[in-house]
Amino acid sequence: MKDILDLDRYPLDREGSAEWKRLVETSIAALEADGMFNLEGFLQPGMAERAVREIQPVMATRSHMHKRTHNIYFKPDMPELAPDHPSLRKVETISHTVCADQIPGSLVLAIYEYEPLLRFLAAAMGKTRLHVMQDPLARTNVMAYRAGEALNWHFDRSEFTTTLLLQAAERGGDLEYRTDLRSDDNPNYDGVARLLEGRDPEAKILRMKPGTLNVFRGKNTAHRVTTVEGERERMIAVFSYYEKPGMMFSAEERIGFYGRAA
């Protein structure tokens, strides 16, 4: 794995060492302060490009195009809100997805399954242990956004979101986010409305470099990928980890996300 990941800079393979503990501590501190941490240069030079070469033929011919109009909650209605509440304004998402079963033996899957990465992430997230997902489609997805396309405002279902940027767009395709916009005790609907109206001064934009591992609190952090411009598509791997082993999507969820159950 040393040929793939920069383990000198990010010593995942030296669990318990002083260097490993410092990395965990700085990641925890960044999560507390900013709601996210970034490991820039996580991939060795040339590895992001290699991953793109592996995935591009599948992305170009067999990816699932997902186009939908939705609100930030991905719910058809919210009984506690009036249908015209500004936090329920409609936005559009367009993306292309390659599933884990379409890229067996790939660089992306090898990184996703790298046990020292799971142990590091568990420590940074304050978890006893993390497990890879068993679902053959959902465990790892690679998402692409082409010119004019975007992933619009939403909250994730999971507490943490882990991604690895493989290719940046020529322009646009940035991560815009608002940390801790809501909590388990406070949905902050008025704050959500302000964000959607472009009136939240705490919203930030992050321009990541390919090869960056990004971890953020997706459940309470509203986020989107801004509209992509130019010929080069934005391509990012999404890693799904769980505290419980054996996690699977239902057939209905697979069809909703990927257009197929198997």
Side-chain angles (χ1 to χ4, degrees):
M1 192 58 73
K2 283 192 173 185
D3 293 336
I4 299 172
L5 306 180
D6 190 343
L7 296 178
D8 291 327
R9 186 175 180 183
Y10 303 114
L12 307 188
D13 58 339
R14 285 172 272 160
E15 184 177 358
S17 68
E19 297 83 2
W20 185 88
K21 290 178 180 177
R22 277 197 297 271
L23 178 60
V24 171
E25 289 168 359
T26 57
S27 300
I28 291 173
L31 278 174
E32 287 296 319
D34 306 317
M36 72 165 57
F37 68 84
N38 293 284
L39 305 187
E40 187 174 309
F42 185 68
L43 296 185
Q44 293 281 18
M47 289 299 105
E49 293 83 355
R50 175 182 153 188
V52 170
R53 288 195 300 270
E54 291 178 348
I55 295 163
Q56 188 61 60
V58 182
M59 185 66 74
T61 59
R62 295 192 287 128
S63 61
H64 174 64
M65 181 177 177
H66 195 79
K67 180 177 181 180
R68 65 186 294 187
T69 300
H70 59 90
N71 58 43
I72 195 170
Y73 306 103
F74 281 120
K75 294 181 178 179
D77 56 66
M78 301 281 284
E80 63 270 40
L81 293 176
D84 61 349
H85 192 280
S87 68
L88 295 179
R89 68 181 294 180
K90 298 292 187 179
V91 294
E92 183 180 68
T93 283
I94 305 176
S95 62
H96 308 263
T97 305
V98 166
C99 298
D101 67 335
Q102 296 176 298
I103 49 172
S106 65
L107 189 70
V108 164
L109 279 180
I111 297 168
Y112 168 70
E113 295 170 349
Y114 184 49
E115 187 61 33
L117 174 59
L118 273 72
R119 293 198 292 269
F120 159 71
L121 290 173
M125 295 175 188
K127 308 298 182 184
T128 302
R129 186 176 179 186
L130 289 177
H131 301 269
V132 296
M133 196 178 188
Q134 292 303 304
D135 193 291
L137 277 66
R139 57 205 317 260
T140 301
N141 291 162
V142 180
M143 317 290 292
Y145 305 89
R146 298 166 184 167
E149 299 176 350
L151 171 63
N152 228 307
W153 286 113
H154 67 288
F155 295 101
D156 290 340
R157 297 192 298 177
S158 57
E159 181 182 1
F160 291 97
T161 301
T162 304
T163 66
L164 179 63
L165 185 65
L166 304 177
Q167 180 171 275
E170 292 175 13
R171 298 179 302 281
D174 299 321
L175 177 65
E176 185 172 6
Y177 65 98
R178 195 338 185 136
T179 301
D180 292 331
L181 181 58
R182 67 177 184 178
S183 67
D184 293 342
D185 300 324
N186 179 15
N188 190 19
Y189 295 126
D190 291 339
V192 170
R194 284 193 296 273
L195 176 74
L196 297 177
E197 293 167 352
R199 298 189 294 110
D200 190 333
E202 295 187 48
K204 300 177 181 178
I205 293 182
L206 175 66
R207 178 71 170 174
M208 287 188 290
K209 296 180 180 179
T212 298
L213 186 81
N214 170 267
V215 177
F216 67 96
R217 297 184 183 274
K219 183 179 179 181
N220 292 326
T221 297
H223 55 285
R224 68 173 175 173
V225 174
T226 62
T227 303
V228 166
E229 301 177 35
E231 294 299 317
R232 188 172 63 240
E233 62 188 7
R234 181 187 198 261
M235 194 179 296
I236 192 164
V238 181
F239 295 159
S240 294
Y241 299 113
Y242 288 84
E243 292 180 74
K244 295 181 180 179
M247 292 296 294
M248 298 279 288
F249 273 176
S250 67
E252 291 77 14
E253 286 174 316
R254 290 195 204 107
I255 290 171
F257 284 117
Y258 313 123
R260 60 188 172 102

